[in-house]
Amino acid sequence: MVTYLKESWEELKNNVTWLERSKASNLMVIVAVFSILFALVTWGVDSLFSKLITLYFDKLIG
């Protein structure tokens, strides 16, 4: 296990190409914005379906 961790750390230091901090920050902002938008759209669709199902069962039962 220790050998695996040492080799993994060496690979991260020597073989992985990292983005510049500014590019990584820009991409992080883009991912955050799209995540928030996707969450809002999901919440909206869920709320709409919830109201439609409630309306349907109110008409069916009531």
Side-chain angles (χ1 to χ4, degrees):
M1 185 69 173
V2 173
T3 304
Y4 172 75
L5 291 173
K6 285 181 183 179
E7 289 175 357
S8 296
W9 181 254
E10 287 300 318
E11 185 171 348
L12 282 173
K13 286 186 351 187
N14 299 322
N15 298 337
V16 175
T17 304
W18 297 98
L19 291 176
E20 296 172 7
R21 187 175 292 268
S22 61
K23 287 183 182 180
S25 295
N26 288 341
L27 290 174
M28 183 189 68
V29 169
I30 291 170
V31 168
V33 167
F34 278 104
S35 296
I36 291 169
L37 289 175
F38 185 74
L40 289 173
V41 168
T42 302
W43 172 76
V45 170
D46 183 55
S47 296
L48 176 67
F49 281 147
S50 176
K51 289 181 183 185
L52 288 174
I53 289 171
T54 302
L55 181 65
Y56 174 77
F57 281 111
D58 284 347
K59 295 292 183 182
L60 184 68
I61 294 172

